[in-house]
Amino acid sequence: MLEEVLEKYCADMGFSLPEGACALFRRYYEALSSAPLNLTAVKGEEDTARLHFADSLALLAMAEFAGKTVIDVGTGGGFPGLPLKIAVPGCDVTLLDSTGKKIAFLRDLCGELAVSARCVCGRAEDLAFDSRHREAYDIVTSRAVARLNVLTELCLPLARPGGLFIAMKSVGSDDEVDEARPAVDKLGGRIREIRDYQLPGGVTHRAVLVEKISETPSGYPRKYAKIVKNPL
Ligand code: SAH
């Protein structure tokens, strides 16, 4: 069932999954369902295929991932970064989360699946002051981590000028997008496109595509408490 959902979804997008990818998605699903951690509220294989795997793979229609460096901020159970790595083995993926147990789960899982995603435990706003990570990525992704004005300050500093930040949001996020415009401007971004997309079963989700057009000023991101208390 999971395999059918994913194969049909990808075929409709004009994308073919690499050999063996469906078997990896099945093992991923099994690992998620048996993990003692509370990694997801989504249960069952069909909903996992639609709301986690297909939702993550939707980004394949929005940017070229092959050969790119990608960081997934607040990846949790690996979404969207790990499905993207499974679908496009030739992209260099870093999975970032501030919760050690989640990163430990992902590290074990990547080992079991023989998928070479880098699993990093840390906070996005701290990584942004490490020269190995600041403005180092072609693509920064993030789903369900924070409101867009806050999320922009966490993510945009990690994107290289010319790179892309993709925020996964619900369709009811018009006000949230407007509220984030000053943060996007200030931190060197420009909203390129708001793309609504359909998942199998008819749910519509949204991706906000932010281009990095110039360097992020050196004082940003601020400390987390400041970002949240006084968003740009
Ligand atoms: N992206 C996943 C998980 C969302 S839950 C999904 O869509 O299913 C949000 C996750 O972001 C949590 O795992 C939390 O630990 C992590 N997180 C929150 N703030 C963060 C920060 N500043 N830096 C890194 N990770 C963060």
Side-chain angles (χ1 to χ4, degrees):
M1 188 184 342
L2 179 150
E3 291 80 0
E4 283 142 43
V5 172
L6 292 180
E7 264 164 7
K8 176 163 189 323
Y9 182 69
C10 287
D12 289 350
M13 253 199 313
F15 179 85
S16 52
L17 286 169
E19 184 83 36
C22 278
L24 297 183
F25 279 115
R26 172 153 295 283
R27 283 160 73 189
Y28 188 176
Y29 163 66
E30 282 161 4
L32 279 174
S33 356
S34 57
L37 292 162
N38 199 9
L39 287 169
T40 168
V42 173
K43 304 278 176 237
E45 85 176 67
E46 191 165 357
D47 279 354
T48 301
R50 291 184 318 112
L51 301 173
H52 284 327
F53 299 153
D55 193 37
S56 301
L57 298 177
L59 303 194
L60 295 172
M62 303 181 197
E64 176 64 51
F65 282 80
K68 299 289 171 66
T69 52
V70 179
I71 185 166
D72 186 24
V73 171
T75 192
F79 305 113
L82 188 49
L84 290 167
K85 175 68 183 171
I86 291 172
V88 185
C91 71
D92 177 323
V93 172
T94 299
L95 303 172
L96 174 71
D97 204 281
S98 53
T99 304
K101 284 182 181 167
K102 295 185 182 177
I103 288 300
F105 165 83
L106 289 171
R107 212 171 263 143
D108 286 352
L109 177 62
C110 287
E112 188 199 324
L113 302 180
V115 165
S116 57
R118 209 168 297 107
C119 301
V120 176
C121 182
R123 299 195 60 90
E125 65 276 23
D126 296 336
L127 247 68
F129 287 99
D130 178 334
S131 59
R132 291 169 301 173
H133 297 283
R134 188 179 185 90
E135 308 210 303
Y137 295 92
D138 298 316
I139 302 176
V140 183
T141 58
S142 193
R143 187 183 82 160
V145 174
R147 229 175 137 78
L148 192 58
N149 53 0
V150 169
L151 190 65
T152 298
E153 193 164 346
L154 298 177
C155 291
L156 208 50
L158 299 169
R160 67 165 173 83
L164 190 64
F165 159 43
I166 309 178
M168 300 174 73
K169 290 286 165 192
S170 68
V171 280
S173 57
D174 288 348
D175 291 349
E176 192 181 331
V177 172
D178 278 338
E179 176 194 61
R181 288 183 196 276
V184 170
D185 284 349
K186 175 86 195 170
L187 301 173
R190 192 185 62 153
I191 296 177
R192 180 202 287 175
E193 199 186 343
I194 294 170
R195 184 93 75 97
D196 293 347
Y197 58 91
Q198 277 235 321
L199 293 177
V203 191
T204 306
H205 282 178
R206 166 173 293 177
V208 181
L209 279 69
V210 180
E211 255 173 325
K212 180 83 174 263
I213 54 172
S214 58
E215 272 181 31
T216 296
S218 58
Y220 297 93
R222 298 164 294 164
K223 296 279 178 223
Y224 189 73
K226 250 199 184 141
I227 299 176
V228 173
K229 192 163 169 232
N230 191 13
L232 291 169

